[in-house]
């Protein structure tokens, strides 16, 4: 006869496939730390039931590599053939909740000790008009209670959306966690909020660690929270410590420590009850302190707080290598991939000590917040600088990815490294698509440290404009006295706001301040902007007088290499205008002129010929033109050019063969996947999202909102306004 702890363990191990029994890589769930978390008790509390199960040959024990757990191998546990046979012979009864027709929660590993009353009280607050805030000390069990609440809600048929935030998180990051299957996710605030609109089913939204939200993103997240219509169908649960980074109305409940008698259950049953009770009382019923406790560890004196226990007992028991690893992990601004962090050999030791908090299927980790907060207070300024420098050196040696680049900037800023500004200048536009929220936080801190530095305000303003945060961009604009920097930011802001008169005036100022080469580039860019300011399915009649006027003012530079490149750009714009005006003869002449200085097989010449074929196509026979298009796409010079032309081909197919267009669109790169930047990227994104709205009817409105935002960013206000009108008709 198995005891209840033994049965729970065996049933849990039986949920994993037999194929893992011989696998080299196994999930952390099968290691001692993973089992302890699943069972909800301390690691030492598992030793006896595991030993008894092994002696009965119901489980097997071996050494294997734990995924994400560092380089060292660890002991892992599996249900044996005899154990699986026992499970078949002893099926678990599944109770049915009367009146619901659904099975009650049977996940053994989410059983919560001593929290039933708190859970019932919190559930009684759901379905009201305000968010619910679950607060309490670090390590007191807020996240565990929140997970139990979401598990219970899910069993009852509620759609659960959970997010864990960190100091880089913004509104989009939260919504991305809430809706992981919505891909790609828009950037536009209204498009994002459309995902939160009232539904006909019960939904529960959770934001955990809400106190970590940076002031840089606090207002947008506050606006999102206030936009929630909490009612009988929608619940918003905030989890974190007070004070919050913003003021919102909420129902507050503080989670207290466990009753000592309940807390004894966390310690397992291998110790006698009286001994467990003395431990629970000494540790004040604090769940994390109980998890950190190991047999033989000195208990705190009466009246001593948990922070002192962590500092003077738990941390003092770590070896030098373990403590060095912990100190570096304490500086993480967010959970990081275990396979990329320093001190790989110490991950398993820290995990066994219950010092790690894991996310995303046990692939990302950070230090338990209680321990992290205590350890941070122990660093001297010199020690802190030493840790930042060592961490910076680690990330400098790592592969050059957006993640590693952000971490380098993070540590450079902390060190006041003189290379910080040059790195910002060279990387900020590249980092914006994938790391916009993080770079915004880092620049915000940099400006706070050096408010007199105009270049920091300039880059912070550029980031704000990219994120459509007009008011914040204006703050940075007002802090800049340099006329050139002011004019550039003001011009971009005017474009974003749709102030065409102001943007034209500022364009003239930019032209006046630049040299001939800069002026020519600016005029060509403005011509392209006017040329692209339309939706692909709009009637082609378009006033092109503005474009002609801009091109007439272009003065090509004398330097031959610059002149040749601009001549090609000028010819391509003139060719596009000829197509818009349905002047096939003029378009042919321009192609011949380009071919005369290269040849008719030149990629640019073939590109223009293809665009003319798409524009004047009259046959229903599509194969020849698709074949030609595929050849031209492959000869494009960059990934971005290939993507843009494939998008053009898909737009063409939408009008002639919508089913074929659906298939082709699968191969058109999503905007955030392209390592491009600037206005051309925004125009591409606008086109992509607009076509997405045509091909994905259930997300049509959201996609049109995002397309409008992208076109507005690129200064294509006619296209943006047309989209707004079409959205109004849909609404």
């Amino acid at each position: 006869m198995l005891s209840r702890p033994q049965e729970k363990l065996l049933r849990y191990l039986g949920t994993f496939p037999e194929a893992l029994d011989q696998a080299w890589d196994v999930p952390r769930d099968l290691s001692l730390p993973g089992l302890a978390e699943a069972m909800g008790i301390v690691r030492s509390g598992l030793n006896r039931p595991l030993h008894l199960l092994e002696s009965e040959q119901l489980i097997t024990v071996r050494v294997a590599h734990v995924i994400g757990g560092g380089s060292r191998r660890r002991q892992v546990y599996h249900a044996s053939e005899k154990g699986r046979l026992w499970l078949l012979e002893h099926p678990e009864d599944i109770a049915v909740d009367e009146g619901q027709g659904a099975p009650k929660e049977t996940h053994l590993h989410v059983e919560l000790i001593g929290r039933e009353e708190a859970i019932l009280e919190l559930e009684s607050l759901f379905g009201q008009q305000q968010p619910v805030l679950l607060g309490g000390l670090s390590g007191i069990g807020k996240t565990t209670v929140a997970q139990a609440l979401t598990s219970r809600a899910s069993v009852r048929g509620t759609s659960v959306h959970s997010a864990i935030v960190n100091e880089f998180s913004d509104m989009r990051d939260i919504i991305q966690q809430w809706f992981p299957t919505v891909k790609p996710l828009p950037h536009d605030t209204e498009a994002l909020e459309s995902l939160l609109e009232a539904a006909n089913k019960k939904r529960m939204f959770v934001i955990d660690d809400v106190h970590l939200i940076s002031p840089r993103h606090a207002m947008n997240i506050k606006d999102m929270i206030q936009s929630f219509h909490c009612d009988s169908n929608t619940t918003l649960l905030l989890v974190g410590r007070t004070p919050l980074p913003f003021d919102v109305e909420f129902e507050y409940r503080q989670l207290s420590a466990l009753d000592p008698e309940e807390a004894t259950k966390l310690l397992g049953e291998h110790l006698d009850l009286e001994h467990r009770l003395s431990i629970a009382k000494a540790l004040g019923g604090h769940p994390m302190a109980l998890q950190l406790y190991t047999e033989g560890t000195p208990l705190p004196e009466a009246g001593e707080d948990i922070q002192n226990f962590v500092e003077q007992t738990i941390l003092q028991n770590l070896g030098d290598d373990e403590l060095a690893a912990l100190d570096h992990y304490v500086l993480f601004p967010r959970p990081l991939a275990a396979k990329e962090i320093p001190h790989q050999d110490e991950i398993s030791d820290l995990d066994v000590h219950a010092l790690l908090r894991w996310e995303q299927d046990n692939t990302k980790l950070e230090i338990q917040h209680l321990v992290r907060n205590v350890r941070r207070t122990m660093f001297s300024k010199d020690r802190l600088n030493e840790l930042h420098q060592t961490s910076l050196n680690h990330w400098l040696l790592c592969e050059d990815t957006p993640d590693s680049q952000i971490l380098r900037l993070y540590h450079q800023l902390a060190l006041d490294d003189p290379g910080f500004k040059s790195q910002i200048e060279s990387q900020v536009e590249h980092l914006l698509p994938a790391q916009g929220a993080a770079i915004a936080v880092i620049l915000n801190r940099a400006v706070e440290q050096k408010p007199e530095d105009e270049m920091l305000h300039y880059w912070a303003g550029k980031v704000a404009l990219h994120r459509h945060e007009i008011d914040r961009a204006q703050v940075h604009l007002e802090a800049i006295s340099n006329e050139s920097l002011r004019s550039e930011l003001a011009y971009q802001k005017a474009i974003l706001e749709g102030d065409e008169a102001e943007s034209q005036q500022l364009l003239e100022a930019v032209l006046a301040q630049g040299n001939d080469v800069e002026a020519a580039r600016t005029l060509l860019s403005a011509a392209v902007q006017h040329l692209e300011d339309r939706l692909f399915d709009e009637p082609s009649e378009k006033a092109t007088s503005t474009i002609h006027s801009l091109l007439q003012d272009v003065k090509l530079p004398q330097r031959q290499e610059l002149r040749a490149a601009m001549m090609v750009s000028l010819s391509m714009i003139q060719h596009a205008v000829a197509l818009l005006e349905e002047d096939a003869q003029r378009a042919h002449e321009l192609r011949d002129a380009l071919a005369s200085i290269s040849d008719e097989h030149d990629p640019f010449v073939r590109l223009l010929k293809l665009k003319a074929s798409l524009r004047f196509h009259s046959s229903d026979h599509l194969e020849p033109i698709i074949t030609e298009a595929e050849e031209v796409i492959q000869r494009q010079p960059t990934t971005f050019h290939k993507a843009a032309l494939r998008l053009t081909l898909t737009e063409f197919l939408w009008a002639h063969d919508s089913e074929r267009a659906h298939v082709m669109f699968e191969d058109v790169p999503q905007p955030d996947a392209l390592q491009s930047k600037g206005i051309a990227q925004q125009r591409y994104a606008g086109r992509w999202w607009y076509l997405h709205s045509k091909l994905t009817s259930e997300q049509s409105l959201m996609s049109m909102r995002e397309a409008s935002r992208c076109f507005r960013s690129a200064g294509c206000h006619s296209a943006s306004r047309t989209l707004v009108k079409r959205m109004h008709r849909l609404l």
Side-chain angles (χ1 to χ4, degrees):
M1 185 71 179
L2 298 182
S3 67
R4 180 59 178 157
Q6 291 171 267
E7 182 180 341
K8 285 174 62 179
L9 272 167
L10 184 57
R11 290 196 185 281
Y12 177 71
L13 291 172
T15 63
F16 294 89
E18 290 184 67
L20 288 174
D21 293 3
Q22 304 299 323
W24 169 250
D25 289 319
V26 297
R28 176 176 172 270
D29 310 74
L30 294 173
S31 68
L32 185 63
L35 291 175
E37 288 178 16
M39 297 299 105
I41 61 175
V42 299
R43 284 127 178 88
S44 58
L46 289 179
N47 292 333
R48 180 174 175 77
L50 284 171
H51 175 72
L52 292 172
L53 286 171
E54 185 183 7
S55 66
E56 293 292 329
Q57 299 182 335
L58 295 170
I59 65 171
T60 59
V61 186
R62 68 185 182 101
V63 174
H65 177 253
V66 173
I67 299 169
S71 54
R72 292 182 186 170
R73 295 189 297 166
R74 308 194 218 176
Q75 276 197 339
V76 294
Y77 302 83
H78 306 281
S80 66
E81 186 176 346
K82 181 179 178 182
R84 293 183 185 278
L85 181 60
W86 186 94
L87 291 172
L88 287 173
E89 293 172 349
H90 299 80
E92 186 175 25
D93 292 333
I94 299 178
V96 175
D97 191 4
E98 292 182 14
Q100 296 295 324
K104 287 184 177 178
E105 190 174 4
T106 59
H107 304 295
L108 297 170
H109 57 290
V110 296
E111 181 178 314
L112 210 53
I113 293 171
R115 296 301 191 192
E116 186 63 26
E117 185 178 334
I119 287 173
L120 292 174
E121 183 181 7
L122 286 162
E123 287 179 333
S124 73
L125 299 175
F126 295 166
Q128 299 183 20
Q129 300 299 310
Q130 293 183 156
V132 175
L133 172 61
L134 173 59
L137 298 173
S138 185
I140 205 69
K142 300 183 295 295
T143 295
T144 305
V145 169
Q147 289 171 345
L149 285 164
T150 58
S151 182
R152 289 162 65 110
S154 181
V155 167
R156 293 167 183 157
T158 298
S159 175
V160 173
H161 307 268
S162 295
I164 303 175
V165 301
N166 56 68
E167 55 188 278
F168 287 163
S169 297
D170 64 355
M171 171 183 167
R172 185 171 184 266
D173 174 57
I174 292 171
I175 294 181
Q176 198 159 44
Q177 292 184 64
W178 280 346
F179 298 96
T181 60
V182 178
K183 293 180 180 179
L185 198 70
H187 292 265
D188 180 73
T189 300
E190 289 188 6
L192 289 170
E193 288 181 348
S194 69
L195 293 169
L196 308 177
E197 290 172 358
N200 293 325
K201 59 181 179 181
K202 286 186 175 292
R203 299 191 300 175
M204 182 178 185
F205 295 89
V206 181
I207 306 177
D208 198 356
D209 287 335
V210 67
H211 58 279
L212 294 179
I213 292 170
S214 164
R216 175 62 176 81
H217 299 308
M219 290 309 297
N220 283 346
I221 294 174
K222 173 186 176 179
D223 291 343
M224 177 188 72
I225 289 172
Q226 291 182 324
S227 73
F228 263 88
H229 181 60
C230 293
D231 54 23
S232 58
N233 267 351
T234 304
T235 296
L236 175 59
L237 175 64
L238 308 177
V239 183
R241 301 197 308 273
T242 54
L244 297 185
F246 40 67
D247 293 324
V248 292
E249 295 292 328
F250 51 74
E251 290 284 348
Y252 179 64
R253 290 296 181 273
Q254 180 165 318
L255 197 63
S256 58
L258 290 170
D259 177 84
E261 291 189 4
E262 292 289 343
T264 61
K265 298 174 184 176
L266 290 177
L267 297 168
E269 299 179 358
H270 63 297
L271 301 173
D272 64 72
L273 181 58
E274 186 177 346
H275 188 189
R276 282 183 279 145
L277 191 58
S278 67
I279 296 170
K281 287 180 178 177
L283 295 176
H286 191 288
M288 179 52 61
L290 289 162
Q291 291 287 346
L292 295 173
Y293 173 79
T294 56
E295 288 178 52
T297 300
L299 291 168
E301 299 292 333
E304 184 180 345
D305 63 28
I306 296 301
Q307 290 194 350
N308 285 335
F309 170 68
V310 171
E311 179 179 340
Q312 298 173 12
T313 303
I314 301 301
L315 297 179
Q316 291 298 321
N317 286 340
L318 296 179
D320 291 343
D321 291 342
E322 295 167 343
L323 196 59
L326 180 138
D327 283 355
H328 282 97
Y329 298 175
V330 160
L331 297 188
F332 289 179
R334 60 186 176 197
L336 300 179
K339 64 181 181 180
E340 297 172 357
I341 61 177
H343 299 282
Q344 290 280 310
D345 287 345
E346 280 63 57
I347 292 176
S348 59
D349 294 332
L350 294 176
D351 201 16
V352 168
H353 284 297
L355 294 169
L356 300 181
R357 172 172 163 170
W358 296 80
E359 286 187 13
Q360 295 192 358
D361 297 325
N362 289 331
T363 60
K364 291 189 174 185
L365 64 85
E366 61 180 341
I367 293 296
Q368 290 285 1
H369 291 186
L370 171 65
V371 178
R372 182 189 66 187
N373 297 342
V374 172
R375 187 59 179 169
R376 278 179 176 174
T377 65
M378 300 171 65
F379 293 148
S380 66
K381 185 175 181 180
D382 287 345
R383 176 58 176 159
L384 193 58
N385 286 341
E386 178 189 348
L387 289 169
H388 277 296
Q389 186 62 60
T390 309
S391 297
L392 174 59
N393 295 341
H394 170 79
W395 296 112
L396 284 170
L397 292 173
C398 288
E399 183 183 354
D400 206 24
T401 65
D403 278 332
S404 63
Q405 288 168 344
I406 279 293
L407 291 165
R408 293 168 197 167
L409 289 170
Y410 173 78
H411 292 296
Q412 282 182 313
L413 177 61
L415 290 164
D416 197 16
D417 188 307
F420 173 77
K421 283 178 62 176
S422 63
Q423 290 300 307
I424 282 287
E425 186 170 354
S426 65
Q427 294 179 359
V428 64
E429 291 191 350
H430 163 69
L431 287 170
L432 269 172
Q435 300 282 348
I439 198 70
V441 170
I442 288 172
L443 272 169
N444 193 59
R445 291 178 182 173
V447 167
E448 288 176 348
Q449 290 179 19
K450 296 183 178 179
E452 74 287 350
D453 192 317
E454 292 195 4
M455 283 307 299
L456 291 177
H457 280 286
Y458 168 77
W459 287 111
K462 292 267 283 189
V463 169
L465 287 172
H466 178 86
R467 295 170 59 83
H468 283 225
E469 297 165 329
I470 303 294
D471 292 343
R472 187 172 289 275
Q474 181 63 34
V475 170
H476 294 298
L477 185 59
E478 290 170 358
I480 299 173
S481 59
N482 181 286
E483 282 301 319
S484 177
L485 297 179
R486 280 185 62 87
S487 295
E488 184 184 343
L489 274 186
Y491 174 54
Q492 293 172 3
K493 178 172 172 283
I495 288 176
L496 197 58
E497 293 179 308
D499 190 338
E500 295 178 36
E502 177 71 8
S503 62
Q504 181 60 36
Q505 184 178 342
L506 289 164
L507 173 61
E508 292 170 3
V510 171
L511 290 172
Q513 292 166 5
N515 57 40
D516 288 348
V517 174
E518 291 170 345
R521 283 175 176 160
T522 302
L523 286 166
L524 289 171
S525 177
V528 171
Q529 178 184 312
H530 282 280
L531 183 65
E532 299 283 351
D533 192 6
R534 58 184 292 274
L535 303 179
F536 78 89
D537 59 342
E538 280 187 285
S540 59
E541 294 81 16
K542 182 180 177 74
T544 53
S545 58
T546 301
I547 301 174
H548 285 299
S549 176
L550 287 166
L551 296 182
Q552 286 173 359
D553 290 338
V554 173
K555 294 182 175 132
L556 296 173
Q558 294 301 312
R559 287 172 57 188
Q560 188 56 40
E561 67 274 17
L562 294 175
R563 186 182 185 87
M566 287 192 186
M567 274 291 295
V568 172
S569 297
L570 183 61
S571 297
M572 292 185 74
I573 296 169
Q574 290 172 329
H575 185 269
V577 171
L579 296 185
L580 273 180
E581 295 176 339
E582 298 190 353
D583 189 342
Q585 180 61 32
R586 172 64 175 155
H588 190 274
E589 291 170 357
L590 286 163
R591 292 196 301 276
D592 281 351
L594 276 176
S596 68
I597 58 176
S598 56
D599 63 73
E600 63 181 14
H601 299 295
D602 180 275
F604 284 115
V605 176
R606 289 191 66 183
L607 172 63
L608 297 186
K609 185 178 179 181
L610 173 64
K611 289 191 172 182
S613 298
L614 295 175
R615 178 70 183 87
F616 299 121
H617 179 76
S618 58
S619 169
D620 290 333
H621 194 45
L622 299 174
E623 291 307 321
I625 200 166
I626 292 175
T627 301
E628 171 69 9
E630 289 292 350
E631 291 180 8
V632 176
I633 287 170
Q634 295 310 313
R635 297 191 65 184
Q636 291 305 295
T638 69
T639 301
F640 179 78
H641 286 88
K642 288 183 174 72
L645 186 51
R646 188 169 295 281
L647 179 57
T648 298
L649 176 60
T650 311
E651 290 170 339
F652 165 79
L653 287 173
W654 183 83
H656 296 85
D657 186 342
S658 61
E659 188 173 331
R660 191 81 172 261
H662 272 89
V663 175
M664 179 71 70
F665 191 62
E666 293 295 320
D667 294 327
V668 179
Q670 297 176 6
D672 285 352
L674 292 173
Q675 295 300 313
S676 187
K677 59 186 180 181
I679 287 176
Q681 161 75 6
Q682 291 298 318
R683 281 197 297 266
Y684 176 91
R687 292 171 58 200
W688 190 96
W689 279 102
Y690 180 56
L691 188 54
H692 188 262
S693 76
K694 295 282 188 182
L695 299 173
T696 316
S697 57
E698 65 273 13
Q699 296 179 0
S700 178
L701 194 58
M702 180 190 78
S703 300
M704 290 174 74
R705 281 174 172 147
E706 179 68 2
S708 177
R709 172 195 185 277
C710 296
F711 279 125
R712 200 161 63 249
S713 293
C716 298
H717 293 288
S718 176
S720 181
R721 284 192 293 267
T722 302
L723 274 167
V724 170
K725 290 176 183 175
R726 293 186 183 183
M727 282 189 285
H728 285 162
R729 287 200 293 269
L730 282 178
L731 291 169

